[in-house]
Amino acid sequence: MLSLLKTVWGLLFRLFPCPAPTGLREIGHPGPHSPVLVTCNFDLTIKRLKKELEGLDLWLLVAQSGGVNVWCAAGGDEFNTHSVVSAIKTSGIGRKVIHRTIILPPLSGPGVGIAAVRKATKWNARWGPVRAEDIRRYIESGLRRDEGMKRVTYTLAERLDTALGSLFPFYFMGGLLFAMFSRPLLSGYLLIGAVAFLLFFLAVDWIPGKRGIVKAGYINLALLGILAITELYHPSGSPYRSSIIIAVVMIFVYGSELGGLAPHLPSDLDPFLARAGVGAVGNVAFAGTVRTELLNGYRDLTYDHDVCEGCRNCFEICPQGVWRMGEDKRAILADKDKCTACRACLTQCQSGAIQAKKQTGTS
Ligand code: SF4
Ligand code: SF4
């Protein structure tokens, strides 16, 4: 029963922690040569991984992430180098296997420094595939990643998963407010909020704009146009007024939050909160972090070709495919427009070639 409740909580309230015990798990019948896969201690992630890994024999090393999923915990520095080093040193994995290689989830790139883990543990750390469903193919192909395993996507199923897991709390809170202060509008809110919720996420990749808030703006302009037309035809007031206003507000909320939750879009909410003086909520920092400063234009991602040591870390970790490797074996900042300021390349670059430089004239 508790396990079912945790699954529902993880599905619908993913923004909040849902911790599972850290430590070593056996998947199948692992032996001394079996791969060692590292993950976070978010309950739902572990359950989903176990399902994907059915039939394989490997060790699953669950590291401390504050009970939050890999992407959010690494972005908030809850899942970091220390989490992984500590899991290796305290779990007893060194006595279970004769090799010294761990496979890290690439979405932990903003928090877990692969070179720092190697240095602190003498274990060889390498990146696995971004999506759990590719792990089987990755292991069966001798730990080789193809391009598709390195980059984030935002497929229909992933969009629906994001919508449910990350935005349901906003929908739920809206429902509570209507129930407390405006009960006659509650059923309309529940229906329209849910329809707006689903339609927005189904259509999000086809709506113009590179940011969630811009995409929401286009839909809201269309909705307000419809409202204006219906007002013209109903001099005593459009019967759709409250429904459309609810939909506009919901889509604005979804759109502004979307950027912070979908790994392929920059956050809109974080810079807004930073400008509004909200430094942090719980463990999630909005102001004064490298990421928010990059998003706000207070810093710029810079690259010094002469300093690059050609380790390929930036190329391997960037979820957007911003980096390429040149013929001289050094990195090329090839597609900076695609950067979503996740800061993974900054964490991984040991040479100092990649920096987040303060812009002159900004505080
Ligand atoms: S280039 Fe941008 S998106 Fe790519 S890893 Fe660096 S900060 Fe993240
Ligand atoms: S820029 Fe940094 S991370 Fe990228 S290849 Fe050069 S040294 Fe490695």
Side-chain angles (χ1 to χ4, degrees):
M1 187 64 183
L2 180 65
S3 175
L4 179 67
L5 280 176
K6 281 180 116 175
T7 302
V8 173
W9 178 265
L11 277 171
L12 298 180
F13 293 92
R14 199 167 310 164
L15 289 182
F16 302 98
C18 189
T22 56
L24 199 56
R25 312 269 207 287
E26 292 182 13
I27 305 288
H29 305 285
H33 297 281
S34 300
V36 179
L37 205 66
V38 176
T39 192
C40 62
N41 78 322
F42 179 51
D43 185 73
L44 187 64
T45 299
I46 296 169
K47 283 182 176 139
R48 284 180 164 174
L49 264 178
K50 281 183 168 174
K51 195 157 177 286
E52 288 295 340
L53 301 176
E54 263 170 28
L56 291 175
D57 297 322
L58 53 83
W59 301 98
L60 187 62
L61 186 54
V62 179
Q64 182 60 257
S65 69
V68 175
N69 67 72
V70 169
W71 177 248
C72 295
D77 220 21
E78 284 280 305
F79 191 35
N80 53 27
T81 303
H82 174 73
S83 319
V84 175
V85 170
S86 162
I88 292 172
K89 289 189 172 172
T90 60
S91 63
I93 183 63
R95 295 189 298 275
K96 301 282 187 183
V97 292
I98 55 174
H99 64 79
R100 287 294 178 265
T101 298
I102 53 161
I103 301 162
L104 292 167
L107 293 186
S108 68
V112 179
I114 199 163
V117 170
R118 286 178 190 142
K119 195 170 166 198
T121 62
K122 308 285 180 266
W123 280 64
N124 176 32
R126 55 195 296 164
W127 301 114
V130 168
R131 281 168 297 280
E133 59 263 34
D134 289 332
I135 293 174
R136 184 179 305 272
R137 199 157 51 87
Y138 168 76
I139 288 176
E140 286 171 355
S141 67
L143 309 191
R144 283 201 187 82
R145 299 196 307 165
D146 59 34
E147 273 306 296
M149 292 181 188
K150 296 178 186 174
R151 314 294 172 224
V152 293
T153 52
Y154 204 42
T155 61
L156 188 59
E158 287 162 348
R159 290 205 289 275
L160 282 174
D161 191 47
T162 301
L164 263 186
S166 306
L167 296 179
F168 183 81
F170 297 95
Y171 177 65
F172 184 75
M173 279 188 289
L176 278 183
L177 289 176
F178 274 101
M180 283 192 291
F181 301 112
S182 186
R183 198 156 292 189
L185 290 178
L186 178 61
S187 54
Y189 163 81
L190 291 176
L191 179 67
I192 293 158
V195 170
F197 188 88
L198 284 176
L199 285 184
F200 182 62
F201 278 90
L202 290 177
V204 73
D205 268 5
W206 293 285
I207 304 169
K210 285 189 175 173
R211 310 183 74 110
I213 199 83
V214 175
K215 291 169 183 280
Y218 280 115
I219 301 188
N220 280 345
L221 272 180
L223 285 174
L224 291 173
I226 293 169
L227 176 61
I229 292 168
T230 58
E231 293 282 354
L232 281 178
Y233 283 95
H234 297 87
S236 57
S238 167
Y240 309 111
R241 189 188 293 163
S242 55
S243 311
I244 292 179
I245 290 173
I246 289 171
V248 165
V249 172
M250 294 308 292
I251 287 172
F252 174 77
V253 172
Y254 302 153
S256 61
E257 185 54 20
L258 174 71
L261 302 169
H264 76 320
L265 291 173
S267 169
D268 294 305
L269 192 69
D270 290 10
F272 172 78
L273 290 172
R275 282 193 206 107
V278 180
V281 174
N283 290 325
V284 184
F286 299 112
T289 66
V290 169
R291 181 162 180 270
T292 53
E293 292 194 351
L294 280 168
L295 287 168
N296 276 310
Y298 300 153
R299 288 177 187 266
D300 185 32
L301 190 81
T302 62
Y303 168 57
D304 188 338
H305 185 263
D306 292 339
V307 179
C308 173
E309 292 171 352
C311 70
R312 296 174 66 93
N313 283 348
C314 53
F315 172 71
E316 294 294 337
I317 198 59
C318 177
Q320 309 298 335
V322 169
W323 297 92
R324 281 211 317 268
M325 295 310 293
E327 285 180 5
D328 62 354
K329 307 259 190 285
R330 293 185 188 183
I332 300 170
L333 183 51
D335 217 340
K336 198 174 170 185
D337 280 355
K338 284 206 241 157
C339 174
T340 54
C342 74
R343 78 181 168 87
C345 59
L346 283 159
T347 304
Q348 304 308 327
C349 182
Q350 295 295 296
S351 70
I354 305 174
Q355 301 217 1
K357 287 215 169 120
K358 284 256 184 202
Q359 294 289 82
T360 48
T362 61
S363 52

